[in-house]
Amino acid sequence: GVEEARLPRWRLRRWAERALAGAAEDGLVTFSAAELSLRLVGAAEGRRLNRDFRGRDYATNVLTFEYGVDPLGVARGDIVMCVPVLVREAREQRKALLDHAAHLTIHGVLHALGYDHIKARDAKRMEALETATLAAMRIADPYVAA
C-alpha cells in the first residue's frame, strides 16, 4: 500500500460510513453491519490487481471485491483505490482531489454492498445514491461536467 497524507484513515472511514448510511436508507441490500477494508495502492499494484482479477492491463481508480452478506447480516468487501489514478483524474476533470476521492470511496463501498452499474436502471439508482450522499457533504454531482 501507499500513504497519502490527504487521505487519512478517519477521512476514508467517514466517507465509507456516509455510503453505508445511504445504502441502509435506500434498502436495496439488507445488512446489519459491514466489514470493509480500504487499501490505497500505487500504479504498479493497481495495474497488477486490475489485470489479475479483471483481465484489464492498466491501473484503474477503484477496484471492489464484493463478498456478499453473511447469514448474520454482515456485508463484507475489499476496496482498493489507486492514488496516482485518483490524482490524475481529479486534475484532468478539474475536481478537488478530496471530492473525487470521496466519490470513489462511496462508489467502492456501494459496489461492496452489491450495487452495480451494468444495466441502465441499476446505474441510475447507484449514481443517484452517490450524488445524494455527496450532496449531503456539499460535494457537487460528479456525473455533471464542470
Side-chain angles (χ1 to χ4, degrees):
V2 299
E3 294 284 323
E4 170 49 67
R6 295 167 290 183
L7 300 175
R9 174 182 235 114
W10 66 264
R11 180 169 280 147
L12 297 168
R13 182 182 185 97
R14 186 177 70 202
W15 293 335
E17 288 170 345
R18 293 284 192 117
L20 291 167
E25 191 174 306
D26 182 58
L28 178 68
V29 180
T30 302
F31 62 98
S32 58
E35 288 182 8
L36 304 172
S37 68
L38 203 155
R39 179 173 168 83
L40 302 177
V41 300
E45 186 173 356
R47 180 178 180 177
R48 181 178 57 76
L49 290 168
N50 201 30
R51 182 188 63 230
D52 292 355
F53 290 98
R54 296 188 63 223
R56 297 182 178 167
D57 194 15
Y58 57 89
T60 190
N61 51 22
V62 63
L63 273 174
T64 302
F65 300 91
E66 173 201 355
Y67 307 124
V69 179
D70 73 16
L72 298 175
V74 180
R76 289 189 173 82
D78 293 327
I79 302 158
V80 179
M81 294 199 320
C82 187
V83 174
V85 175
L86 292 181
V87 170
R88 186 191 78 234
E89 287 179 347
R91 186 176 58 247
E92 289 172 355
Q93 297 170 24
R94 293 176 161 51
K95 294 177 180 173
L97 175 67
L98 294 183
D99 291 356
H100 190 49
H103 173 223
L104 293 178
T105 301
I106 290 164
H107 187 84
V109 169
L110 294 179
H111 272 311
L113 294 174
Y115 285 80
D116 70 53
H117 43 80
I118 296 165
K119 295 180 185 156
R121 182 182 67 244
D122 297 335
K124 191 170 185 169
R125 183 176 194 160
M126 184 174 183
E127 290 173 12
L129 183 51
E130 291 171 23
T131 300
T133 303
L134 290 165
M137 299 163 53
R138 300 188 182 342
I139 297 174
D141 182 342
Y143 295 103
V144 174

